[in-house]
Amino acid sequence: MKNAASFIAVLLFSAIGYAQNGPKIEFAAPDNTIDYGKISKGDNGLRSFEFTNTGDAPLLITGAESTVSSIIVTKPAAAIQPGKKGKIDVKYNMVAGPIRKTITVETNAVNYPDGRVALKIKGEVQ
């Protein structure tokens, strides 16, 4: 019985350790959301989602896009090394009305299901 408990404990700790290895992406924006607030059409619409690779392997941003043409997304081309910071730029076409958009980011991060992260922007263009 003692051997079985020891085996289970080793297996559990191995699984936990395995799940935590690899690149991890942590965004500075609360809830991965940037709030433009109430802005005028004269604003350039450019904002940045800053992040850090908190994992132990290089982080790759393989895709970053929106389903609407009113948003231009620019992602880092190079891998982000462990402990380093990066940013994803988002430029919203300043169309009058509410802003409620989602950007899908595809990564090799192990702390999000399939490495997919949803970033959101919100606000209102007056």
Side-chain angles (χ1 to χ4, degrees), residues 1 13 46 48 51 57 59 63 69 103 116:
M1 185 63 116
F13 286 116
L46 182 63
S48 295
F51 63 88
L59 173 69
S69 61
I103 296 100
R116 297 182 128 214

Side-chain angles (χ1 to χ4, degrees), residues 63-113:
E65 58 188 41
S66 172
T67 57
V68 295
S69 61
S70 59
I71 300 175
I72 299 170
V73 182
T74 307
K75 67 176 184 64
I80 308 301
Q81 297 303 313
K84 299 296 182 184
K85 295 180 183 282
K87 67 179 184 169
I88 296 171
D89 292 328
V90 176
K91 183 168 175 68
Y92 181 72
N93 183 0
M94 304 308 279
V95 177
I99 304 170
R100 301 276 185 277
K101 307 294 181 199
T102 301
I103 296 100
T104 302
V105 178
E106 295 179 1
T107 74
N108 65 335
V110 297
N111 59 326
Y112 281 91

Side-chain angles (χ1 to χ4, degrees), residues 5-58:
S6 297
F7 176 74
I8 291 172
V10 169
L11 186 62
L12 179 62
F13 286 116
S14 296
I16 291 171
Y18 176 75
Q20 294 180 353
N21 291 335
K24 295 180 184 176
I25 190 167
E26 297 291 336
F27 285 91
D31 298 322
N32 298 348
T33 302
I34 289 181
D35 188 349
Y36 280 70
K38 292 186 180 196
I39 54 175
S40 71
K41 283 184 161 186
D43 188 298
N44 71 3
L46 182 63
R47 303 293 187 274
S48 295
F49 284 94
E50 296 179 355
F51 63 88
T52 304
N53 178 358
T54 59
D56 59 6

